[in-house]
Amino acid sequence: MSEKLIFELSSPGRNGYSLPQLDVPEKKIEELLPKEKIREKEPLLPEVSEVDVVRHFVRVSIMNHHVDKGFYPLGSCTMKYNPKINETLSRLPGFSYLHPQQPEGTCQGALKLMFELGEYLKEIGGMDEITLQPSAGAQGELAGLLMIHAYHKKKGNPRSKIIIPDSAHGTNPASVVTSGHTTVQIKSNEKGLVDLEELKRATDEEVAALMLTNPNTLGLFESQISEISQMIHDAGALLYMDGANLNAMMGMAKPGDMGFDVVHFNLHKTFSTPHGGGGPGSGPVGVKENLAPFLPVPLVAKRINKKGVEEYYFDFKRPDSIGRMHSFYGNFGVLVKAYCYIRQNGASGLREVSENAVINANYLKESLKGHYHLPYPDHCQHEVVFSGTNQKTKGVKTLDIAKRLLDFGLHAPTVYFPLIVPEALMIEPTETESKESLDEFIQAMIQIAEEAEKNPEIVKSAPHNTPVTRLDEGKAARDLDVRWKG
Ligand SMILES: *Cc1c(COP(=O)(O)O)cnc(C)c1O
């Protein structure tokens, strides 16, 4: 299972190309490039053949876990299987060879696709207008909060505070601060939902908005959303929805109907773009009429031209806009994939996606609740949060359970999030898993719970079957240096 670095496979003089005989007069590099552009030393490159390269990268690709290889229940991330047809379609030359500075008249198809994708997302979210520009959920949050700021400022009172529950994703407080607001954190109640009393206490004239994830990061639907919306709007504040968990409610409930003024979509989560390796992603933001003037420019719009023909164009004439969030028009390839995914599923298909995601999560919840502590036992939505506190009494931490799962060829769930659950194990199976693959995961989790009782050492020293065992993750994040020193 071990694999050398490609530099270690290098052999002097070996290469993976052959060039035709030179049939023009040879020139020295100094005659072609200015002196300062010429490197002093040869670049340090591996000398390998084509087959060396292919085999090396194929081997490396299967050492890593990925959703095409196995179950990937990383909570909050919606690691669903991404149908390959979306990749094929997004790479059609008509899409992939477009240049972002092409005149509008030469890329009407692409504009139409963006316009229609916007219409679908508005329908799914119950929103009036939309921007496709932000490149991830976090950037969508920032865009939304900047619009909320612009809204209050326009009304003559730029409010400073944003309320978030203690179960919120880390990007929420980060976006609050980045957008120039301060966070007010409120405690969840014993059911894991927004505590209305706490909310009432925190709501005053300085509150610009409440930022809420629904279903929340415990996988629970905020059943008092109507009361929450009423309270927030009565105070002159707005309601932001973190839409990362939209996979739980497509076609069943719309954020707009619940009173949300703004919602971001994580296309790479809900609408099937491969993710987890750092991008690219896409985080469109839908808004109600009240926030529409502040949307980033440009918007994709449709009009009837002088010849009476429909045409699509970029609308830059928006004087109250917060400006651009991204170069050009966002990550277009991701938009194509989301469009294909929505068109293939249709309205009824998207509803089934969410229904099955919820059924799968509840199946896991019921199957594992006798083996792991379940702090919030109510009916869950698309994900369920267990706690490893029982195992901890045997000296087995949640991190150990996560590492042990790797020995079964399974990806670990999200751990230690949400922060309000000690030793949290946050499991999101998604709709794309069969009963067989869920059962395989359940069996592994039950076996690990038994090991924690009878043979805790095997869990504490896991993983045993991976190319490397425990890595210093802190060092890897803070002190990353991947340069080959030769
Ligand atoms: C993933 C996620 C985000 C951030 O989205 P990115 O697209 O990763 O920037 C925000 N909130 C929740 C609940 C999430 O799961």
Side-chain angles (χ1 to χ4, degrees), residues 76 136-138 141 169 171-172 213 217 242 244-245 264 266 268-269:
S76 216
E141 291 170 24
H169 190 270
T171 52
N172 292 183
T213 310
T217 62
D242 177 334
N245 292 343
H264 79 249
N266 303 62
H268 44 287
K269 293 180 180 172

Side-chain angles (χ1 to χ4, degrees), residues 373-390:
H373 175 53
L374 182 61
Y376 301 101
D378 285 350
H379 172 78
C380 69
Q381 300 295 315
H382 65 307
E383 61 195 352
V384 55
V385 181
F386 284 96
S387 164
T389 43
N390 292 343

Side-chain angles (χ1 to χ4, degrees), residues 164-183:
I164 49 176
D166 54 5
S167 57
H169 190 270
T171 52
N172 292 183
S175 301
V176 168
V177 173
T178 310
S179 64
H181 297 93
T182 52
T183 47

